[in-house]
Amino acid sequence: MCEQRKIDFYPTKELFQSVRNDTELFEIFKKDKEQNIMVKNINEFLNRFLHGYFSDYIKELEGYSSHISKVLREFRIKEDTISDIINSMLDKVVFENNSKSTKKGNKSSIERRFFKTTNKYNTLDIVENIDSKYLIQNTYLSEFICKMLRSYFAKPLYRREQIIFSDEYSTISESCQKNCIRFRYTYDNKTYTVMPYKIFTGKEQMFNYVFCYGLDEDDKLRNYSFRLSRMTGIQKSYSSIPYPSDIEDKFILTSKLGASYAINDELEETCVILSPAGTLSFKHIYFGRPKVDRKEITPSGNYKYYFTCSTEQLYRYFRRFNPGEAIIEYPTTLRDKIIDFHIKSLKGYENFENYKH
């Protein structure tokens, strides 16, 4: 038996664009090589997709079929026609969007695509299982995969992330509040050994985050919040770190104020002065936006916004604003940090010639 198999399938352009989008959102890229930088690894994504979703999808199909069958029997539909009606309902109602283009004869909206199965995710076994058990008369593997993709994309983003990173999600879930895990975090390319506490979603309901506790570089206990899709090579260490008494309080604050920014120290109030243009930017820059405690208008027509959250979150958020739109009034440590960021950026441009060589 061959270890790989090339799988042809024919999604609509819209469906395959969704595949591209999720591949990029979950940062599934090939290794950079010469001029090829951040190339989306569609093959990796589709293998992860089959591996992480096939079993749940079959259960979903069986659930639909069971429910439709129950309704049909209530109307005393003949047993020998129930199966055909169920298949027609699944095709024309549940998965209607995927068949619209082909049934209207719009061949230009269909694209021939392919991927190769990999041993890493046992996708050859999955494909052969589909071939032998789940392809009904007059249906094809391509059609099955496209319907499966439609079902996947009907789910919210955080649930799709759990599917694509199902192995990582499972290992972390099994380890929560039991034992440490070790992994490399792609955001900073550092290796961490931490005790996972809970997996949760941010207020934007986009991504999954893992709230953890571990030792920092100075061997001090510290809270962390890691995005699921950026945790690679996860291994159980079977050691443990006792949780501090305030871990649940810190978790609640982190999940409430900013999923990406684990709360460690006591929170202090921050005041940021926004110009009228700054208030517009505050409305438009959604991701990572801090929760406002209150705001006041100043005599000059600017606004004072008050926050009580992670200073790291405020630092990363407000440094994205245009010059003059946001000024930190206090604490001075945060103001100085943002000033230092802009000074270093300016020096980078002043030394532009040095970067060219």
Side-chain angles (χ1 to χ4, degrees):
M1 182 182 297
C2 61
E3 296 182 349
Q4 278 192 335
R5 176 176 164 185
K6 180 181 174 182
I7 307 298
D8 288 317
F9 69 114
Y10 297 84
T12 62
K13 290 182 178 179
E14 295 79 9
L15 182 57
F16 197 71
Q17 184 59 50
S18 295
V19 170
R20 290 192 184 99
N21 293 345
D22 266 23
T23 304
E24 184 169 13
L25 277 172
F26 297 144
E27 300 170 1
I28 302 175
F29 301 117
K30 297 178 181 179
K31 289 184 179 181
D32 291 348
K33 188 176 181 180
E34 297 179 352
Q35 300 303 313
N36 297 320
I37 300 170
M38 295 180 67
V39 176
K40 291 183 280 289
N41 195 337
I42 303 295
N43 202 78
E44 171 80 5
F45 174 86
L46 289 170
N47 275 274
R48 279 182 169 271
F49 158 73
L50 280 176
H51 173 76
Y53 191 43
F54 175 69
S55 295
D56 286 346
Y57 177 68
I58 294 302
K59 291 177 183 177
E60 189 175 295
L61 278 183
E62 291 172 347
Y64 282 130
S65 298
S66 176
H67 182 69
I68 296 171
S69 176
K70 183 179 178 181
V71 172
L72 293 176
R73 286 188 170 89
E74 289 176 357
F75 286 91
R76 297 182 180 179
I77 303 297
K78 293 181 179 180
E79 287 291 331
D80 58 354
T81 62
I82 286 180
S83 178
D84 289 338
I85 295 175
I86 289 174
N87 291 329
S88 181
M89 290 287 288
L90 291 174
D91 185 49
K92 296 180 179 179
V93 179
V94 180
F95 303 107
E96 183 216 5
N97 288 336
N98 192 56
S99 57
K100 276 182 178 178
S101 299
T102 54
K103 290 186 178 180
K104 289 181 179 180
N106 186 8
K107 298 296 184 181
S108 62
S109 69
I110 301 297
E111 299 181 323
R112 177 182 176 273
R113 299 290 174 178
F114 72 89
F115 65 95
K116 292 182 179 179
T117 61
T118 64
N119 292 332
K120 182 179 179 180
Y121 300 109
N122 298 315
T123 41
L124 179 60
D125 291 341
I126 293 172
V127 168
E128 290 181 344
N129 195 8
I130 294 172
D131 279 338
S132 62
K133 293 183 180 180
Y134 298 103
L135 294 187
I136 60 175
Q137 188 177 10
N138 297 324
T139 62
Y140 299 92
L141 178 61
S142 168
E143 186 177 354
F144 187 96
I145 291 174
C146 288
K147 288 179 179 179
M148 191 171 162
L149 282 167
R150 282 288 177 193
S151 173
Y152 163 83
F153 283 113
K155 303 183 185 307
L157 184 59
Y158 73 88
R159 176 65 187 119
R160 304 203 304 268
E161 185 183 34
Q162 293 171 7
I163 290 168
I164 299 303
F165 298 92
S166 59
D167 288 347
E168 292 85 351
Y169 184 80
S170 176
T171 299
I172 296 168
S173 298
E174 292 169 359
S175 301
C176 277
Q177 304 185 37
K178 294 179 182 178
N179 53 260
C180 290
I181 56 173
R182 182 179 174 84
F183 61 92
R184 183 177 65 85
Y185 198 49
T186 59
Y187 181 77
D188 56 16
N189 203 30
K190 293 181 180 180
T191 299
Y192 293 87
T193 300
V194 295
M195 185 77 141
Y197 186 69
K198 285 184 181 178
I199 304 176
F200 67 108
T201 58
K203 66 177 182 178
E204 301 90 352
Q205 294 290 290
M206 292 178 66
F207 302 110
N208 297 271
Y209 295 88
V210 185
F211 188 73
C212 309
Y213 206 89
L215 298 176
D216 64 14
E217 295 174 349
D218 298 320
D219 287 332
K220 294 182 179 179
L221 287 172
R222 181 177 180 82
N223 296 324
Y224 297 93
S225 184
F226 299 104
R227 204 174 104 184
L228 173 63
S229 59
R230 293 173 175 168
M231 301 170 70
T232 64
I234 300 174
Q235 295 179 334
K236 293 181 181 179
S237 72
Y238 296 103
S239 60
S240 64
I241 303 173
Y243 289 108
S245 58
D246 64 348
I247 189 70
E248 181 64 18
D249 292 336
K250 291 293 194 293
F251 165 72
I252 291 172
L253 280 173
T254 297
S255 59
K256 178 182 178 181
L257 299 176
S260 300
Y261 308 96
I263 302 298
N264 280 284
D265 304 316
E266 293 299 320
L267 298 176
E268 60 179 324
E269 184 179 77
T270 298
C271 178
V272 182
I273 302 174
L274 298 180
S275 67
T279 60
L280 291 176
S281 292
F282 189 78
K283 291 178 181 178
H284 295 155
I285 304 174
Y286 175 69
F287 193 76
R289 184 167 60 204
K291 182 178 180 294
V292 181
D293 291 338
R294 68 184 192 281
K295 74 173 183 177
E296 302 170 353
I297 189 168
T298 69
S300 61
N302 296 318
Y303 293 88
K304 288 188 176 184
Y305 279 64
Y306 296 88
F307 308 93
T308 308
C309 63
S310 164
T311 55
E312 182 67 17
Q313 178 180 3
L314 295 169
Y315 167 70
R316 292 184 178 275
Y317 182 76
F318 283 111
R319 73 182 189 180
R320 293 145 65 186
F321 280 48
N322 294 321
E325 288 187 348
I327 304 295
I328 308 297
E329 182 173 2
Y330 61 79
T332 57
T333 51
L334 177 58
R335 184 172 69 224
D336 291 343
K337 188 175 180 179
I338 290 185
I339 289 173
D340 186 56
F341 168 78
H342 289 297
I343 288 174
K344 289 179 178 178
S345 296
L346 179 60
K347 286 182 177 178
Y349 279 100
E350 289 175 345
N351 297 321
F352 171 68
E353 292 299 324
N354 294 333
Y355 284 86
K356 294 169 63 177
H357 304 286

